[in-house]
Amino acid sequence: MSTIFSAGSEKPTTVQPAGSFRLQVLKMMGSILLFFVTYGLLLIYAGILAAIFLWAGVSLIMFAPLHPMTIFTFLLIIAGLGIIFMGLMQVLFLVKFLFTRQQQDLSLRIPITRKEQPVLFDCLQKIAQSTKTRFPKKVYLAPGVNAAVIYPVRFMNMFWPVGKNLEIGLGLVNSLNISEFSMAIAHEFGHFSQRSMKLASYVYTVNRMIYNMLYENQSWHKTMSWISGRWIVFALLARINLRIVSDIQKALRLMYGMVNRQYMALRREMEFHADEVALKVAGTDAAISAMRRLEISGFFYEHCLLQLPEMARQQRRFGNIYEVHRSLIRLYASQHEIALDAHQLPLVTDSYFSSFLLSRIQLPDQWATHPSREEREQRYAAANISKTMHPESAWQLFHHAEELQEQMSTLLNQPFLQQPGQYVPYPVENFIAETATRIKDYSMPAVFNEYYDNRPFPLLPEANITPLPNDQMAALSISLLYAENNVQRLRAYFRDIQDADTLHAIQLGQIKTRYFEFEGKQYPANAAAKVRNRLQTHIRQEAEWLQAHDLLALHYHYTVAFQKDPAFAQQLLEKYFKLMEHQGICWQLNDIVGRIFHSVSSLFSEQGLTIASAQPYFDSLVDEGVLLKKVLHRLKQMPEVSGGWDNTLQEKVSHFLRFNYSYVNGNEPVMEEITNLHEISTTVMEQYNNSIILMKKAWLEAVL
């Protein structure tokens, strides 16, 4: 089986970094040099202050014995010790990163050896040779749809090399064939294949240093808080110290922004360079197909993970989450007419992505470390490197593949299983059948070509709907009303609304950028308002078209029904207006739930909250609870909605409506009330939204 991978027969490839990469390296080195100059000045500044504090503290301590021992002399000694300590704490703030180590979480990692996986290690060895990279120190299997070269981040790593480990995600293996898998691994090795690329770990360590000083200060601040709470003199000294450190942090934030922006630009060039190295190993076809398959695969892997908590609540678990992952990809492929190859992997063609409308605005994303799929594909195609494709699943490189999948699935399930013996495996075929049924239940009739998908039914500008004349009806049909050009025009309309919001954010300064591109033309940021006004004019025109087209479609369906049975046509109109009422209530409910979720998440995520500082969130929950009660009272009177609530939800809603929740009692939050409010609001919202989808579907089926 070792002959599956043939890269070892080729000479090792050396890919010279592009000029743009070398330019970014020079800029990065300049940024790092500027950082160290600034850091040195700050360290000198802190050292001078510490020396002054030390001199003052020692002077007080030496001055105290010159007087009889009284409470005053005791206070002088305490104050002197406090001043010395605060001076040392300033210096410690700037050098504490020297003593920190970034711990690698190996809880979801399975170490493997050459003895256990000889074919895989042969493949990795050949890739390492082809990319002129040192073989990894250790190899781990991870759960996700990715591969990475990982290494400990310590200050001392800046001065001598450290062994790098390879992490292979089983979700990645699950998604690719052997050639594509080789492309992914070669890309990771490509980051460290030449000396010029070794700047990466150096820059990353510098970035971590600044980040540590800015944002990882819990222990330092806890120490300061503890000291300041011992004595009022210490509290005053701590306040002075915190002010000095705050000034230091302001300077560091400026440096962090500059270094990080340059680091991100360098990372993009490094990604392109690693792609060039990998292309020499796997070829253009494998690179393009790998990117496309991984884009789809990543979504469904995350979907699998989201199922685990709910599965655990139902006393069930996935025995092999990767089998579920593969089955979901194949289900998606069958529903979207994506062909599968002989090894049951999706063949994602250009036509699949051509149906997606992309934003017409492009921003210079200073914080993006990876180029977009489109950018990378353009470079792959331009390279046009032909290699023999090995279409077999990457699992063929692994011994005991199914056992590895089950072992990793057990690790992924563990956080959600309280008593493992009570959870039964849930058959994959049952889960896929339920998923397919749910998709079918919530899918609109295909004849409407997704015209009504993911949007509410349009509001009618008039209540009086009359049949269309015969000559107009003769020129209309369902296929014409819901033709692909009309659907694409509808999608473009909503795309343009999002683009207008983006331009507005640029105009207000909420998106920080010097320039942007619109329809391929570059504009300075101060031109956002002008471009937005032009776009808004187009949006208004399209809104008029959409309103007229929606109304025409409704008239058409009403006329068809009227020709069959006028009474039935009237019933259709009544159901339509009832659906309008439900949509209005649901919008109100969604707004309430959004505010509740914000308050609850803030209560449990914001650092340093006290009951006093959290009071506005509790007040918000009370206010939103009053509004929620009004909506729930209304929904209780609608059996088409509340009739679908199970007994548990009915009881929780009834309890909520009977009692006035305060959410806080003295100095303690009332967790039961907060939990009930959150569960009721989110559950009712989810079920109500689903109910409206089913109502829409029922109405559309009725007009056919």
Side-chain angles (χ1 to χ4, degrees), residues 480-491:
L480 184 64
L481 287 168
Y482 303 107
E484 184 63 27
N485 62 313
N486 288 330
V487 174
Q488 287 296 95
R489 190 172 179 180
L490 167 72
R491 292 172 179 166

Side-chain angles (χ1 to χ4, degrees), residues 204-308:
Y204 185 67
T205 304
V206 171
N207 239 29
R208 287 299 308 175
M209 287 167 50
I210 309 176
Y211 187 87
N212 177 279
M213 287 184 281
L214 286 174
Y215 303 112
E216 295 181 352
N217 300 309
Q218 292 86 351
S219 59
W220 190 88
H221 279 288
K222 283 181 180 178
T223 302
M224 293 295 293
S225 298
W226 184 85
I227 292 295
S228 63
R230 301 303 96 185
W231 203 273
I232 189 170
V233 177
F234 287 175
L236 177 61
L237 291 171
R239 186 178 294 274
I240 295 172
N241 215 14
L242 287 171
R243 180 55 189 266
I244 294 172
V245 167
S246 176
D247 291 339
I248 292 174
Q249 283 184 310
K250 287 180 182 178
L252 287 172
R253 284 193 180 94
L254 291 174
M255 292 304 305
Y256 183 71
M258 181 193 68
V259 172
N260 211 36
R261 278 194 296 272
Q262 194 57 54
Y263 174 55
M264 296 305 174
L266 175 63
R267 281 290 302 273
R268 286 174 61 82
E269 291 298 328
M270 289 168 61
E271 290 298 321
F272 284 135
H273 179 83
D275 277 348
E276 288 186 51
V277 173
L279 275 170
K280 298 288 185 180
V281 172
T284 293
D285 291 343
I288 292 176
S289 60
M291 290 295 298
R292 294 181 175 187
R293 283 175 173 171
L294 290 177
E295 187 164 313
I296 293 175
S297 176
F299 173 82
F300 287 105
Y301 175 74
E302 293 298 325
H303 181 76
C304 288
L305 294 184
L306 291 174
Q307 306 306 309
L308 298 183

Side-chain angles (χ1 to χ4, degrees), residues 34-52 86-99 155 209 213 220 244-245 247-249 251-252 255:
L34 182 58
F35 160 72
F36 276 116
V37 170
T38 305
Y39 176 72
L41 292 174
L42 290 174
L43 197 57
I44 293 171
Y45 166 69
I48 292 172
L49 289 177
I52 294 172
M86 293 302 173
L88 294 175
M89 287 296 288
Q90 290 176 31
V91 177
L92 178 63
F93 175 81
L94 284 171
V95 300
K96 62 187 177 67
F97 66 84
L98 294 172
F99 311 102
F155 177 72
M209 287 167 50
M213 287 184 281
W220 190 88
I244 294 172
V245 167
D247 291 339
I248 292 174
Q249 283 184 310
L252 287 172
M255 292 304 305

Side-chain angles (χ1 to χ4, degrees), residues 389-461:
M389 181 73 80
H390 297 282
E392 301 88 352
S393 169
W395 282 115
Q396 292 198 22
L397 299 172
F398 290 77
H399 284 184
H400 309 295
E402 189 171 346
E403 291 180 15
L404 289 173
Q405 295 170 28
E406 292 173 354
Q407 184 180 355
M408 189 64 75
S409 299
T410 299
L411 293 177
L412 287 170
N413 276 303
Q414 276 179 353
F416 308 104
L417 306 183
Q418 303 300 321
Q419 299 173 326
Q422 298 184 5
Y423 295 82
V424 297
Y426 187 43
V428 176
E429 57 272 16
N430 291 8
F431 175 76
I432 295 300
E434 284 187 8
T435 302
T437 300
R438 187 162 57 250
I439 293 173
K440 181 180 178 182
D441 289 343
Y442 287 94
S443 296
M444 302 298 159
V447 70
F448 295 101
N449 202 15
E450 300 182 358
Y451 183 84
Y452 294 105
D453 287 19
N454 304 314
R455 73 176 185 117
F457 268 13
L459 296 173
L460 293 178

Side-chain angles (χ1 to χ4, degrees), residues 32-289:
I32 292 174
L33 180 61
L34 182 58
F35 160 72
F36 276 116
V37 170
T38 305
Y39 176 72
L41 292 174
L42 290 174
L43 197 57
I44 293 171
Y45 166 69
I48 292 172
L49 289 177
I52 294 172
F53 274 50
L54 180 64
W55 172 81
V58 171
S59 298
L60 283 177
I61 294 172
M62 294 179 65
F63 178 74
L66 300 178
H67 299 273
M69 183 58 68
T70 63
I71 187 67
F72 176 73
T73 56
F74 178 73
L75 288 175
L76 284 179
I77 294 173
I78 295 296
L81 291 173
I83 291 172
I84 292 172
F85 179 80
M86 293 302 173
L88 294 175
M89 287 296 288
Q90 290 176 31
V91 177
L92 178 63
F93 175 81
L94 284 171
V95 300
K96 62 187 177 67
F97 66 84
L98 294 172
F99 311 102
T100 60
R101 295 182 63 179
Q102 186 180 11
Q103 297 296 326
Q104 295 180 357
D105 182 11
L106 300 178
S107 59
L108 292 176
R109 304 295 183 271
I110 301 174
I112 56 174
T113 63
R114 180 179 292 275
K115 182 179 179 180
E116 295 168 337
Q117 300 292 339
V119 178
L120 173 65
F121 272 71
D122 284 347
C123 175
L124 298 178
Q125 186 68 58
K126 291 172 181 175
I127 297 174
Q129 292 171 356
S130 295
T131 57
K132 300 179 69 174
T133 308
R134 184 177 298 176
F135 194 82
K137 182 180 179 182
K138 294 181 181 179
V139 179
Y140 293 97
L141 298 182
V145 186
N146 65 305
V149 173
I150 57 177
Y151 49 91
V153 178
R154 295 190 293 270
F155 177 72
M156 296 305 174
N157 294 352
M158 299 174 67
F159 304 103
W160 59 74
V162 63
K164 296 176 175 62
N165 303 324
L166 176 63
E167 180 182 282
I168 301 172
L170 295 190
L172 179 88
V173 181
N174 213 39
S175 312
L176 304 177
N177 63 32
I178 290 174
S179 290
E180 295 160 348
F181 174 79
S182 302
M183 168 71 188
I185 300 299
H187 174 92
E188 295 305 320
F189 286 177
H191 283 303
F192 305 96
S193 59
Q194 272 107 38
R195 288 184 178 180
S196 56
M197 301 298 285
K198 289 181 171 58
L199 182 68
S201 56
Y202 191 82
V203 173
Y204 185 67
T205 304
V206 171
N207 239 29
R208 287 299 308 175
M209 287 167 50
I210 309 176
Y211 187 87
N212 177 279
M213 287 184 281
L214 286 174
Y215 303 112
E216 295 181 352
N217 300 309
Q218 292 86 351
S219 59
W220 190 88
H221 279 288
K222 283 181 180 178
T223 302
M224 293 295 293
S225 298
W226 184 85
I227 292 295
S228 63
R230 301 303 96 185
W231 203 273
I232 189 170
V233 177
F234 287 175
L236 177 61
L237 291 171
R239 186 178 294 274
I240 295 172
N241 215 14
L242 287 171
R243 180 55 189 266
I244 294 172
V245 167
S246 176
D247 291 339
I248 292 174
Q249 283 184 310
K250 287 180 182 178
L252 287 172
R253 284 193 180 94
L254 291 174
M255 292 304 305
Y256 183 71
M258 181 193 68
V259 172
N260 211 36
R261 278 194 296 272
Q262 194 57 54
Y263 174 55
M264 296 305 174
L266 175 63
R267 281 290 302 273
R268 286 174 61 82
E269 291 298 328
M270 289 168 61
E271 290 298 321
F272 284 135
H273 179 83
D275 277 348
E276 288 186 51
V277 173
L279 275 170
K280 298 288 185 180
V281 172
T284 293
D285 291 343
I288 292 176
S289 60

Side-chain angles (χ1 to χ4, degrees), residues 298-469:
F299 173 82
F300 287 105
Y301 175 74
E302 293 298 325
H303 181 76
C304 288
L305 294 184
L306 291 174
Q307 306 306 309
L308 298 183
E310 181 60 29
M311 296 281 290
R313 283 192 288 270
Q314 298 173 6
Q315 299 289 300
R316 299 188 293 192
R317 63 179 177 82
F318 290 135
N320 186 338
I321 197 171
Y322 297 99
E323 187 179 357
V324 179
H325 180 224
R326 288 192 297 271
S327 299
L328 282 174
I329 293 173
R330 291 165 190 163
L331 175 63
Y332 178 82
S334 67
Q335 292 177 334
H336 291 79
E337 299 181 351
I338 300 174
L340 300 175
D341 66 12
H343 301 276
Q344 297 298 291
L345 293 171
L347 296 169
V348 189
T349 61
D350 293 340
S351 60
Y352 170 77
F353 290 106
S354 65
S355 62
F356 298 108
L357 280 178
L358 301 177
S359 171
R360 292 191 284 176
I361 299 174
Q362 297 296 321
L363 297 172
D365 193 349
Q366 297 171 329
W367 306 105
T369 61
H370 288 68
S372 67
R373 178 187 57 77
E374 291 81 8
E375 286 181 278
R376 299 175 92 160
E377 282 195 17
Q378 287 176 3
R379 294 197 175 211
Y380 298 159
N384 194 26
I385 297 176
S386 178
K387 292 283 183 177
T388 301
M389 181 73 80
H390 297 282
E392 301 88 352
S393 169
W395 282 115
Q396 292 198 22
L397 299 172
F398 290 77
H399 284 184
H400 309 295
E402 189 171 346
E403 291 180 15
L404 289 173
Q405 295 170 28
E406 292 173 354
Q407 184 180 355
M408 189 64 75
S409 299
T410 299
L411 293 177
L412 287 170
N413 276 303
Q414 276 179 353
F416 308 104
L417 306 183
Q418 303 300 321
Q419 299 173 326
Q422 298 184 5
Y423 295 82
V424 297
Y426 187 43
V428 176
E429 57 272 16
N430 291 8
F431 175 76
I432 295 300
E434 284 187 8
T435 302
T437 300
R438 187 162 57 250
I439 293 173
K440 181 180 178 182
D441 289 343
Y442 287 94
S443 296
M444 302 298 159
V447 70
F448 295 101
N449 202 15
E450 300 182 358
Y451 183 84
Y452 294 105
D453 287 19
N454 304 314
R455 73 176 185 117
F457 268 13
L459 296 173
L460 293 178
E462 57 184 73
N464 185 25
I465 303 296
T466 57
L468 294 173

